[in-house]
Every structure is written in structure tokens, then in C-alpha cells.
């Protein structure tokens, strides 16, 4: 049974990762890319945790904690940057990023 | 007293049928978390603008992580591991709303949404006031829709 869970959950998570990567690469605006990369990080947390739960080891718990702590940094810093983009450059600030 | 309780519960969950049930519940939780993540990814692909995508994105950030942490706790069955896992949920609960809020504000100010879909827009007066105070010349427009149009035209 655990093999079925591994393949089904792994397949769904891999497909989700591919779709999110597509949104990060293609995403029309910078905000879309930030959101997609944020969800990609959450997907990484879920993948690491699912790996631990399926194989029964606890070696990657520190990785989960660190990812959960620093996950906010990227999106918040980029969000601040987007917020100031219209005032610093009059046009096309987000498109060039 | 507490040590006795912990020892009793440990011997209880290590018995064969209970362990099988707990592993099954953990497997179901993992599948639910994976499905939530896939649903969020599909929502990010299919939803039209940034604010709608943010709605889909925030689902696995809280519930998915909680489900996976519960699956680990049920699968590993150790109190130390549970103590190590609780900070993951706590930090996600603390940081996910902040980042979602910041990203949503950024998306709003960038005009990355459809103004017709908003039932009420309480941020527009604040953004207009902040734009006047930050830049006397008027860096931000009163109407976010016109800001979007400006950027699209230039």
C-alpha cells in the first residue's frame, strides 16, 4: 500500500511542481512569479515531510523547520520592491523583472 | 506520572493493529496534502489575475503543511519528533498570512487584478492618500485601473 501512496502522492506533487515552475517562468507579472515561487517552497516542505512520513525517518526535520522559517523572506522582500516600483520608475517596472 | 503515561501510550501505539491503522491514516493525510498542492498549482495556472491566484495559493501553505506534519507524527510516533514538528506549523501560521498580505498589497498596487470583480475596495483611498504623501507630483493614480492602463500603454 505504501508504494501506491508513494507513487500517487509523488506524481501529484511532481505535477504540481511542474505547473508551478511553468507559472514562475511564464507568469505575466512579477507578483504571479512571487506567488508561484512561494507555493513552490510550500510544495518542497510537503515533499520533504511526505518523504519522512512514508519512509519513516526523521533526518530532514531541520530542513522543514528552516524552510518554514525563511519562506517568508523572499516573498515579503520582493513584495516591498513591487510596491515601490511605480514611484521609482514611471513605467514598466514589473515587466522588466 | 507523565512518563508513565507516555510509556503506556507508546506501548499502545506500537501494537500491531494500532500501528497499521495509524500508518493508514498517515497515508491518507499525505494523499490529501498532495491533492491540495496539486489543486493550488492548477488554480495558479487557470485563475486569471494575481489576486485570484493568491486565493488558490494559500490553501496548501497552511492546511497542506498541517496535514503532512500530522502524517509524520502518526507515522513516526515519537514525542520528540512531535515537539520538533510543532514549530513548523507555528511558523507557517505566523508567516503565511504576512507574506500573503504583502503580496496581495503589492498585486493591488501594481494593478494586477480585475477591478470589476471587487465587491468593495477599501484600499483605494489609502493608496491614493499614500501616493499623494509620498510623491507630491502624484506617483500613483487614484484609480488603479487607469494605472494599469498607463503601464500597458507605455
Amino acid at each position: 500500500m505504501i508504494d501506491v501512496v508513494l507513487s500517487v502522492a509523488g506524481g501529484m506533487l511532481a505535477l504540481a511542481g511542474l505547473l508551478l515552475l511553468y507559472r514562475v517562468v511564464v507568469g505575466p507579472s512579477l507578483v504571479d512569479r512571487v506567488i508561484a515561487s512561494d507555493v513552490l517552497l510550500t510544495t518542497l516542505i510537503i515533499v520533504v515531510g511526505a518523504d519522512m512520513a512514508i519512509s519513516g525517518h526523521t533526518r530532514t526535520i531541520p530542513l522543514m523547520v528552516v524552510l518554514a522559517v525563511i519562506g517568508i523572506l523572499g516573498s515579503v522582500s520582493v513584495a516591498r520592491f513591487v510596491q515601490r516600483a511605480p514611484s521609482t520608475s514611471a513605467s514598466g517596472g514589473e515587466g522588466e523583472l | 506520572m507523565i512518563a508513565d503515561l507516555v510509556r503506556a501510550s507508546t506501548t499502545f501505539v506500537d501494537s500491531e493493529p494500532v500501528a497499521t491503522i495509524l500508518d493508514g491514516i498517515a497515508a491518507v493525510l499525505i494523499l490529501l496534502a498532495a491533492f491540495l498542492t496539486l489543486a493550488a498549482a492548477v488554480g495558479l495556472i487557470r485563475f486569471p489575475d494575481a489576486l485570484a491566484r493568491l486565493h488558490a495559493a494559500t490553501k496548501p501553505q497552511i492546511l497542506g503543511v498541517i496535514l503532512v506534519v500530522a502524517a509524520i507524527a502518526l507515522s513516526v510516533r515519537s514525542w520528540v519528533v512531535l515537539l520538533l514538528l510543532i514549530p513548523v506549523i507555528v511558523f507557517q501560521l505566523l508567516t503565511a498570512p504576512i507574506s500573503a498580505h504583502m503580496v496581495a498589497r503589492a498585486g493591488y498596487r501594481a494593478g494586477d487584478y480585475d477591478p470589476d470583480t471587487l465587491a468593495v475596495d477599501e484600499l483605494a483611498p489609502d493608496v491614493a492618500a499614500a501616493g499623494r504623501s509620498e510623491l507630491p507630483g502624484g506617483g500613483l493614480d487614484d484609480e488603479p485601473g487607469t494605472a494599469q492602463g498607463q503601464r500597458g500603454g507605455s
Side-chain angles (χ1 to χ4, degrees), chain B residues 63-77:
Chain B
L63 188 55
V65 170
I66 288 178
L67 288 175
V68 158
V69 165
I72 298 169
L74 288 176
S75 166
V76 178
R77 295 192 282 277

Side-chain angles (χ1 to χ4, degrees), chain B residues 38 55 91 102 118:
Chain B
L38 182 58
H55 157 73
F91 282 122
M102 299 287 295
L118 295 184

Side-chain angles (χ1 to χ4, degrees), chain A residues 10-24 36 39-41 43-44 47, chain B residues 34 37-38 41-42 45:
Chain A
M12 283 199 283
L13 288 169
L15 183 58
L18 284 177
L19 292 176
L20 291 169
L21 206 57
Y22 170 82
R23 182 52 73 197
V24 171
V39 181
L40 202 56
L41 194 80
T43 309
L44 196 59
V47 165
Chain B
T37 310
L38 182 58
V42 171
I45 292 298

Side-chain angles (χ1 to χ4, degrees), chain A residues 39-62:
Chain A
V39 181
L40 202 56
L41 194 80
T42 309
T43 309
L44 196 59
I45 296 178
I46 290 176
V47 165
V48 168
D51 171 52
M52 267 193 290
I54 288 176
S55 20
H57 68 85
T58 58
R59 290 191 292 274
T60 45
I61 281 184

Side-chain angles (χ1 to χ4, degrees), chain A residues 3-78:
Chain A
D3 290 338
V4 177
V5 173
L6 185 62
S7 41
V8 172
M12 283 199 283
L13 288 169
L15 183 58
L18 284 177
L19 292 176
L20 291 169
L21 206 57
Y22 170 82
R23 182 52 73 197
V24 171
V25 173
V26 172
S29 76
L30 176 61
V31 181
D32 291 326
R33 293 177 217 266
V34 171
I35 295 170
S37 61
D38 215 9
V39 181
L40 202 56
L41 194 80
T42 309
T43 309
L44 196 59
I45 296 178
I46 290 176
V47 165
V48 168
D51 171 52
M52 267 193 290
I54 288 176
S55 20
H57 68 85
T58 58
R59 290 191 292 274
T60 45
I61 281 184
L63 182 58
M64 272 186 89
V65 178
V66 169
L67 284 178
V69 171
I70 67 169
I72 186 177
L73 292 181
S75 56
V76 166
S77 51
V78 178

Side-chain angles (χ1 to χ4, degrees), chain B residues 21-95:
Chain B
I21 292 174
L22 290 183
D23 281 343
I25 296 175
V28 171
L29 292 182
I30 290 173
L31 287 177
L32 277 176
F35 176 75
L36 266 181
T37 310
L38 182 58
V42 171
L44 268 166
I45 292 298
R46 288 192 54 87
F47 282 176
D49 50 38
L51 292 192
R53 284 173 188 150
L54 194 63
H55 157 73
T58 45
K59 296 295 168 288
Q61 286 186 333
I62 298 294
L63 188 55
V65 170
I66 288 178
L67 288 175
V68 158
V69 165
I72 298 169
L74 288 176
S75 166
V76 178
R77 295 192 282 277
S78 157
W79 294 103
V80 180
V81 169
L82 187 61
L83 277 182
L84 287 172
L85 285 173
I86 286 176
V88 176
I89 296 180
V90 169
F91 282 122
Q92 277 297 116
L93 284 175
L94 283 178
T95 58

